[in-house]
Every structure is written in structure tokens, then in C-alpha cells.
Amino acid sequence: MSVALAEERIQEIVKETALKHIAIIMDGNRRWAKAHNLPSAFGHKKGVDALKATMRACDDFGIKYLTVYAFSTENWNRKPEEVSFLMDLLGTTLQNELKEMHENNVVINFIGDTTKLSEKLQKILKNSVETTKNNTGVNLQIAFNYGARDEIVYAVKNICKKVQSKELSIDKITEDIISNNLYTKNIPDPDLLIRTGGEMRVSNYLLWQIAYSEFIVTKRYWPEFDKKALAEAILEFDGRQRRYGK
């Protein structure tokens, strides 16, 4: 099968299965670097290239939403120099890539507690969101300083405030109310969760939203992930029977 025909088939699958949202746990940057006798920083930088390739692939295949796990609430426990590097990498990448992403019609959003980030980084994030908010292409959600339990606590606090102010009564609290108070309130739940690096856990990622997502774990490290890898995941997704508990 030619590359063009293969891509056309993936596009058909996306339409047939109504695949709208892919979430990814981008794992293995440091292990990839170690395997290549390189410092961790090289793995993280190579991971940025993988994200760019994946975004382009989503656009080519017709995937509307892509959510990626970039920095968890637990990642603050890493060595201070690595945390600092990751903060700088996000800011630098956004500044360097924003023009191209905007021209490619990407919509950028962030999920997580961004108030804990430096004022400089918060401004860069806000500028990225503001610049791309009217675009109509792939919606890229970057989970940064994100933890699903932290997100649920955030939602509970919001709901409690509404109950206290009598804006909402307790007996009116539903699953939809909870969903609408999460960081992801404006996007559909993931249809497919991909984890690179071979680890078999969800790592406090989108715990509420992935209730009925299909899971695919690949042994590829994140820096090795590309358009072909995404196509393979979509082909596997096509073979799944989504039962939703029925």
C-alpha cells in the first residue's frame, strides 16, 4: 500500500470510528537519552520534535483534539536542575514554535495549575493561548503542572463554592456538573490513551476523563514516536470493540 493510500485509510478509520480525541503520556525521554549515552536534556529536546510530528500527523489524519502529559504535579520532586530545564524548555519551545503553530491553525490550551509557574512562564503560556484561540485546527492541550487528583480537588472546591453561594443545590450535582468543573470542561473525553515507554500505569493522568478510553501501550520511547507510530495506534484502535460497560 502506498503512503498516500495508507494515510487515506487512516483518515477513513478516524471518520468511521468517530475518533476525536487522543491523549498521550509522553514517557521515555530520559531512558531514550540514556540508551544513546546522552544527557537527559537531549531526550527532552528530542521529545519536542516527536510532539511536533504527532501534531502534524493528527492534522493529516483528521484528529481534532490532542492532549499530552508534559509535566506532572509529582515532577517537582525531580532534581532542581531538571525541573528548571523543563520549565525553560516549555517557554523556549512556545516562543520559537508559536508562529508556525499559529500559521498551521493549531489551538493551544493548558490544563493544570499554572499559577504555580513563574510569572514569566505564565505570560508566555497566556500569550500562546490568546494568539491561537480563534484557530480552527488541531486543539492541543498541554498538561503542565497537572495531576488528576489535584484536578478533582479543584473541581470539588469549585462545586462547593457554588453550593455555598446557593448557585447550585447538592441534589443537582451530576457527572456533567463535575465534568464541567474540571480543567478539560470544554473538550470531549479521550477516545484513545497512548502511553509510550512500555510502562503499564496511568500515572495520575485524566483519571475522570479516561473512564471508557481505549488504552494502547507501546515500548517505543517518546522521542521515537512519529506519524507511523500514530497510524499504527489508530489501526489498533480500529480493531477494538468499545462497549461502555454494556
Side-chain angles (χ1 to χ4, degrees), residues 12 18 39 45 47-48 59 73 75 114 125 131 192 200 217 221 226:
E12 289 173 358
K45 288 179 179 178
V48 172
D59 189 38
T73 49
N75 286 157
T114 57
L125 268 56
T131 300
L192 172 61
M200 303 292 287
V217 175
Y221 295 137
D226 55 15

Side-chain angles (χ1 to χ4, degrees), residues 15-235:
K15 290 179 182 177
E16 290 167 1
T17 60
L19 175 55
K20 295 183 178 66
H21 185 181
I22 294 177
I24 302 180
I25 299 175
M26 306 183 295
D27 196 16
N29 288 346
R30 293 187 296 177
R31 283 178 287 159
W32 178 89
K34 185 177 180 180
H36 289 79
N37 296 312
L38 295 168
S40 295
F42 282 80
H44 293 309
K45 288 179 179 178
K46 189 72 174 175
V48 172
D49 294 336
L51 178 55
K52 289 170 65 178
T54 302
M55 278 194 300
R56 286 193 292 266
C58 283
D59 189 38
D60 290 342
F61 295 153
I63 303 295
K64 190 67 176 175
Y65 298 91
L66 173 66
T67 303
V68 295
Y69 207 4
F71 189 90
S72 76
T73 49
E74 291 74 32
N75 286 157
W76 292 104
N77 296 318
R78 292 185 177 182
K79 293 179 180 179
E81 56 268 28
E82 184 175 4
V83 171
S84 178
F85 173 81
L86 291 171
M87 296 293 160
D88 290 342
L89 181 63
L90 176 63
T92 301
T93 299
L94 287 171
Q95 288 176 316
N96 291 343
E97 305 292 340
L98 181 59
K99 184 175 183 292
E100 181 179 347
M101 292 172 74
H102 185 37
E103 289 173 350
N104 289 332
N105 212 19
V106 175
V107 182
I108 302 173
N109 277 299
F110 296 89
I111 59 172
D113 185 3
T114 57
T115 64
K116 300 287 178 65
L117 307 179
S118 70
E119 187 175 334
K120 177 183 177 182
L121 186 53
Q122 286 185 56
K123 286 181 179 178
I124 293 172
L125 268 56
K126 288 176 183 176
N127 179 59
S128 301
V129 172
E130 186 66 25
T131 300
T132 63
K133 67 180 182 181
N134 294 320
N135 290 344
T136 57
V138 175
N139 285 256
L140 172 66
Q141 287 72 229
I142 301 173
F144 205 86
N145 194 27
Y146 174 89
R149 290 183 174 182
D150 181 70
E151 178 183 30
I152 291 168
V153 170
Y154 166 84
V156 170
K157 287 179 178 178
N158 282 345
I159 292 168
C160 286
K161 288 176 184 177
K162 292 173 183 177
V163 171
Q164 284 181 328
S165 66
K166 301 190 184 307
E167 180 185 341
L168 178 68
S169 61
I170 290 176
D171 61 349
K172 296 293 185 183
I173 297 174
T174 63
E175 289 187 13
D176 285 342
I177 291 293
I178 294 172
S179 293
N180 289 331
N181 281 276
L182 297 171
Y183 295 131
T184 55
K185 62 184 178 181
N186 295 318
I187 62 173
D189 290 341
D191 302 294
L192 172 61
L193 172 66
I194 299 170
R195 179 166 190 147
T196 60
E199 301 291 347
M200 303 292 287
R201 57 179 178 270
V202 295
S203 297
N204 197 20
Y205 186 47
L206 301 174
L207 297 179
W208 177 274
Q209 297 89 338
I210 61 172
Y212 286 105
S213 302
E214 295 296 322
F215 287 12
I216 291 176
V217 175
T218 173
K219 290 185 178 180
R220 281 187 180 93
Y221 295 137
W222 175 244
E224 299 167 333
F225 201 83
D226 55 15
K227 186 174 187 175
K228 181 176 181 289
L230 185 65
E232 289 172 356
I234 292 172
L235 283 168

Side-chain angles (χ1 to χ4, degrees), residues 7-18:
E7 184 167 316
E8 188 175 308
R9 177 58 189 141
I10 297 298
Q11 292 168 348
E12 289 173 358
I13 290 171
V14 169
K15 290 179 182 177
E16 290 167 1
T17 60

